[in-house]
């Protein structure tokens, strides 16, 4: 197997381990409201997890212990913004961002809901350092994913297919590994990856849970020629969606992409016990009257 194929397998395993570390096999139902923001960093194997469920809609994690890295997840504009830099050129840094939201859709029967998520950024390197053929080729791993389920079937812990028992209405995932050339004095690597799809809305009242996630891992070590690197993904991973004209959409957080909280549903008056008793007595009397009329 080629080295690049091995690297792809390793980085996919690392990325999915972040997602799967706490996955539960059983389905969980989250009470309303139902949304989350999750910026995550990995430094020297240590996970710095900023998960917030039904909390902040603008959530950031940052660290400066090893180089510098940060991840910001913002439900209000549907973005994940990431940044990584290391001026020693000897450290591997990982940034990760994920969010989820419950969407209520009304008046959409028979229409399509189009949605997508795209990562856009670049990595600049300063190379020309000592080269050792025994070390791995420096590289950039990046991925994006999106999933949609019926509301309440899965949570932030188990939404990737294979970690739950439900069929996703939509799941799309893409990744890539880009090798960097440590012999170049200046390296420029433009990154773009996207996922997208459509969901057919079955009735005039539907609720869905959407999930997005993205990773960037810059892998360097002493002897690969890289002396410094900067990974700038502040141009963002951005979520977008469109509905047909006349369809009303709402968000659990009340802030996602400007979608308000769903209005309360219609209420049904339930008769008091006394009213039910009187209604039952009325039926009994009516039956007796009809019986006497036939005699």
């Amino acid at each position: 197997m080629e080295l690049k194929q091995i690297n792809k397998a390793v980085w996919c395993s690392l990325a999915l381990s972040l997602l799967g570390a706490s996955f539960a096999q059983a389905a969980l139902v989250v009470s309303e409201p139902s949304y989350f923001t999750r910026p995550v960093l990995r430094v020297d194997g240590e996970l710095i997890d900023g998960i917030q469920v039904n909390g902040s809609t603008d959530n950031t994690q940052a660290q400066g212990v090893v180089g510098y890295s940060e991840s910001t997840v913002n439900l209000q504009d549907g973005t994940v913004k990431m940044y990584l830099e290391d001026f020693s050129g000897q450290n591997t840094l990982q940034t990760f961002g994920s969010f989820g939201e419950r969407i209520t859709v009304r008046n959409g029967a028979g229409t399509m809901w189009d949605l997508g998520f795209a990562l856009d950024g670049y990595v600049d390197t300063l190379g020309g350092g000592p080269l050792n053929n025994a070390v791995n080729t420096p590289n950039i791993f990046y991925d994006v994913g999106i999933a949609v389920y019926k509301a309440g079937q899965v949570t932030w812990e188990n939404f990737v297919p294979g970690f739950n028992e439900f069929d996703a209405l939509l799941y799309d995932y893409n990744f890539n590994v880009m090798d960097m050339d440590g012999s170049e004095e200046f390296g420029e690597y433009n990154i773009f990856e996207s996922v997208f799809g459509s969901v057919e809305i079955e009735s005039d009242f539907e609720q869905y849970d959407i999930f997005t996630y993205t990773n960037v891992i810059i892998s360097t070590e002493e002897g690969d020629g890289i002396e410094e690197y900067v990974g700038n993904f502040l141009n963002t991973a951005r979520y977008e969606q469109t509905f047909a004209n006349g369809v009303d959409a709402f968000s659990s957080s009340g802030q996602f992409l400007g979608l308000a909280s769903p209005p309360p549903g219609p209420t049904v008056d339930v008769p008091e016990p006394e009213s039910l008793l009187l209604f039952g007595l009325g039926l009994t009397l009516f039956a007796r009257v009809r019986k006497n009329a036939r005699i």
Side-chain angles (χ1 to χ4, degrees):
M1 184 180 292
E2 296 181 0
L3 178 61
K4 187 169 182 180
Q5 290 178 312
I6 295 174
N7 283 338
K8 283 188 176 183
V10 169
W11 291 135
C12 278
S13 177
L14 181 60
L16 288 175
S17 71
L18 192 157
L19 285 167
S22 59
F23 280 172
Q25 293 299 317
L28 302 176
V29 177
V30 178
S31 59
E32 294 285 3
S34 180
Y35 63 91
F36 73 90
T37 55
R38 191 187 182 198
V40 182
L41 309 174
R42 193 192 299 270
V43 180
D44 286 340
E46 179 184 353
L47 205 64
I48 306 171
D49 196 336
I51 179 69
Q52 290 196 33
V53 179
N54 299 335
S56 172
T57 58
D58 187 3
N59 189 4
T60 297
Q61 287 289 305
Q63 68 82 33
V65 177
V66 176
Y68 177 78
S69 55
E70 69 176 57
S71 175
T72 297
V73 180
N74 190 327
L75 269 183
Q76 299 164 38
D77 56 14
T79 60
V80 176
K81 301 181 180 183
M82 298 174 289
Y83 186 86
L84 318 85
E85 67 178 30
D86 181 27
F87 295 132
S88 72
Q90 299 178 16
N91 298 294
T92 293
L93 296 176
Q94 178 180 3
T95 57
F96 172 87
S98 179
F99 65 78
E101 178 66 274
R102 179 161 295 173
I103 301 294
T104 299
V105 183
R106 295 186 176 182
N107 305 319
T111 66
M112 302 302 293
W113 170 29
D114 300 321
L115 55 161
F117 190 53
L119 174 68
D120 188 7
Y122 63 87
V123 176
D124 286 344
T125 62
L126 176 64
L131 291 173
N132 182 345
N133 292 331
V135 304
N136 292 321
T137 302
N139 57 62
I140 310 158
F141 172 93
Y142 53 96
D143 69 354
V144 286
I146 191 168
V148 179
Y149 290 85
K150 287 285 192 178
Q153 291 182 330
V154 299
T155 73
W156 66 272
E157 295 180 288
N158 68 337
F159 65 83
V160 173
F163 292 95
N164 66 75
E165 61 186 282
F166 299 97
D167 292 328
L169 298 174
L170 167 67
Y171 181 71
D172 195 18
Y173 172 76
N174 284 317
F175 77 95
N176 197 11
V177 178
M178 182 179 293
D179 288 341
M180 300 184 291
D181 187 351
S183 65
E184 290 187 350
E185 184 177 2
F186 299 104
E188 298 180 357
Y189 305 90
N190 293 315
I191 307 296
F192 181 84
E193 194 63 76
S194 64
V195 288
F196 55 89
S198 300
V199 174
E200 183 176 1
I201 301 171
E202 295 180 353
S203 74
D204 281 332
F205 180 85
E206 295 286 347
Q207 285 191 308
Y208 306 96
D209 287 334
I210 63 168
F211 304 89
T212 69
Y213 62 98
T214 184
N215 275 287
V216 175
I217 307 172
I218 301 180
S219 175
T220 63
E221 59 182 311
E222 186 176 4
D224 64 14
I226 301 294
E227 295 189 327
E228 300 178 6
Y229 66 76
V230 171
N232 188 327
F233 295 83
L234 299 177
N235 196 32
T236 81
R238 183 179 299 275
Y239 171 86
E240 294 182 347
Q241 65 181 16
T242 58
F243 293 94
N245 291 335
V247 177
D248 298 319
F250 308 90
S251 69
S252 177
S253 67
Q255 299 186 46
F256 182 55
L257 301 181
L259 299 180
S261 299
T267 59
V268 178
D269 292 332
V270 178
E272 296 294 330
E274 293 83 357
S275 301
L276 290 173
L277 177 61
L278 291 174
F279 181 68
L281 289 174
L283 287 178
T284 302
L285 290 174
F286 178 72
R288 289 181 177 177
V289 170
R290 287 179 58 85
K291 180 178 179 181
N292 290 336
R294 292 197 296 266
I295 295 174

